[in-house]
Amino acid sequence: MAAKPPKPKPKAAPAREHYHHGELRRALIDAALELIGSGGPEAFTLREAARRLGVNHRAAYRHFADKETLLAAVAEQGFWALLGAAREAVGALPEATPEARLLAIGRAYVRFCAMNPAHFRVMFGARLNEGGRFPALEVPIAEAFEVLQREVASGVEAGALAAGTGPRMAALSLWSAMHGLATLIVTRRIAVRKERLASTVDTLLEPTVRGLVAKR
Amino acid sequence: MAAKPPKPKPKAAPAREHYHHGELRRALIDAALELIGSGGPEAFTLREAARRLGVNHRAAYRHFADKETLLAAVAEQGFWALLGAAREAVGALPEATPEARLLAIGRAYVRFCAMNPAHFRVMFGARLNEGGRFPALEVPIAEAFEVLQREVASGVEAGALAAGTGPRMAALSLWSAMHGLATLIVTRRIAVRKERLASTVDTLLEPTVRGLVAKR
DNA sequence: ACCTGAACACCGTTCAAGT
DNA sequence: ACCTGAACACCGTTCAAGT
């Protein structure tokens, strides 16, 4: 039996032989989410992600201009998913009261954030489009806000919501409440067991929804 | 005239000759806030802060065990200031309705965050006490929540607030709304001009407060 | 044309030597 | 006892050489 030649360089992972088009891109995104999920945003480094996938750290640059661009891809993916969750929530309640529909959006929003904390931190952590570098990020955010605002507006039309200071301000109120609750849950300042998530969210968002509904 | 001896090493700053007890500590905290304020959390490095103050980067370790400890000091300072702002807000309205007092706390909270974005990011960014390393951070947070909860409880006692699911849940509702609004303003997802800050905050928090007050 | 290792300019933190 | 520079093990990113 011939002796095996010694490996010249021990690699962290067995190193998949090849990533075909787009596979490495997706694998890098997943690795980023995994690292952020277990060790926070600063645990994600391009080098560590590449190491885990058994590729040279330079390989990432074939798919992303730089680290920030990879994070923007994570964020964009997350925003579309969040939008989808919100749309699904209202779509499932075609005949419900405005109150119930608004609450359902809030529940979907907080639920998505609580279940995808790594996505959440990338989406709402550093302001990736601050310099206008990733305008694509604004599209799903704007659409999600549209969903909320349209819901408020149609509630006002139906006479179920107080007109107050207009649908935009009302939508911002609810967004604040939803977003604050999501933030406090993800950062563990409010502890919620998974099984009780939906009911806790309902309890905590109800005052805001009720305040929007109440005519003074 | 004798020629000046050439400086052996050009320093970034004129380098204050001496920082007496505690001064460097405070200067480092201020430098951290300045760097975070202008370039975000990742712009703060111990080396850059030391460079700005004209001291060796090792000097920081005389006052802080590591970078995280310095950030914890920033956060703690911020939490006490936030607590002070909340207390001042309710203290100024001894005879007001519970509704007005709750709104005043919210206004103070959001105003503090909006005016101190660097503090805000350190306080509510990375969870510094995750591993129980900085338990001192919990003290002012817990006290601030106490202020809120006590206010709700006394409103219920006075019959002005619906008992609902208890003062703790009501306080959490309001905290969510306050915190979400503060977050959205600091991250510039809601744009507010400084002069209109107080009135915008009032408009956006009112539905939640009203919902807590409304008896169904 | 594609991939990769060395190199560069940064970090936070540790060590060991200066006074 | 105190301060500091070199050193270490990391980064993200650039360069230039390999195939």
Side-chain angles (χ1 to χ4, degrees), chain A residues 45-47 51 58:
Chain A
T45 66
L46 285 178
R47 291 174 107 111
R51 219 175 280 134
R58 284 279 316 141

Side-chain angles (χ1 to χ4, degrees), chain B residues 2-212:
Chain B
K4 290 184 219 164
K7 289 187 188 177
K9 291 177 192 177
K11 290 206 171 179
R16 322 237 318 241
E17 17 267 61
H18 260 316
Y19 285 97
H20 356 359
H21 99 284
E23 261 202 56
L24 178 55
R25 191 190 140 90
R26 170 155 297 270
L28 283 165
I29 288 179
D30 291 346
L33 285 167
E34 213 176 293
L35 288 167
I36 293 167
S38 59
E42 65 281 5
F44 161 53
T45 65
L46 285 179
R47 290 175 106 111
E48 177 60 22
R51 218 175 281 134
R52 291 207 170 192
L53 300 174
V55 299
N56 186 281
H57 66 276
R58 283 280 315 142
Y61 289 86
R62 312 222 77 250
H63 297 277
F64 303 99
D66 52 21
K67 187 184 184 185
E68 207 180 21
T69 305
L70 194 159
L71 286 172
V74 170
E76 194 181 340
Q77 187 190 79
F79 282 125
W80 284 110
L82 178 57
L83 173 62
R87 282 196 168 136
E88 202 181 326
V90 288
L93 298 170
E95 305 294 334
T97 63
E99 192 172 351
R101 288 164 66 90
L102 288 177
L103 200 55
I105 294 177
R107 208 185 295 128
Y109 188 99
V110 178
R111 184 188 193 76
F112 175 87
C113 298
M115 305 291 271
N116 301 277
H119 264 114
F120 179 82
R121 293 203 204 156
V122 178
M123 292 158 70
F124 295 106
R127 300 165 292 175
L128 294 167
N129 193 36
E130 185 73 350
R133 211 186 153 198
F134 305 106
L137 293 179
E138 308 301 331
V139 179
I141 300 178
E143 283 195 35
F145 189 72
E146 266 298 310
V147 169
L148 198 55
Q149 192 169 333
R150 199 178 316 128
E151 214 49 57
V152 171
S154 74
V156 172
E157 267 176 50
L161 286 186
T165 46
R168 183 166 171 272
M169 294 309 260
L172 285 177
S173 282
L174 190 52
W175 190 24
S176 292
M178 277 157 42
H179 190 71
L181 180 53
T183 302
L184 294 174
I185 289 175
V186 171
T187 59
R188 309 227 186 115
R189 296 187 193 274
I190 296 180
V192 192
R193 275 190 304 245
K194 233 192 213 172
E195 319 87 66
R196 311 190 58 200
L197 183 61
S199 76
T200 303
V201 171
D202 281 5
T203 303
L204 293 179
L205 291 185
E206 228 178 31
T208 304
V209 173
R210 207 188 305 152
L212 290 172

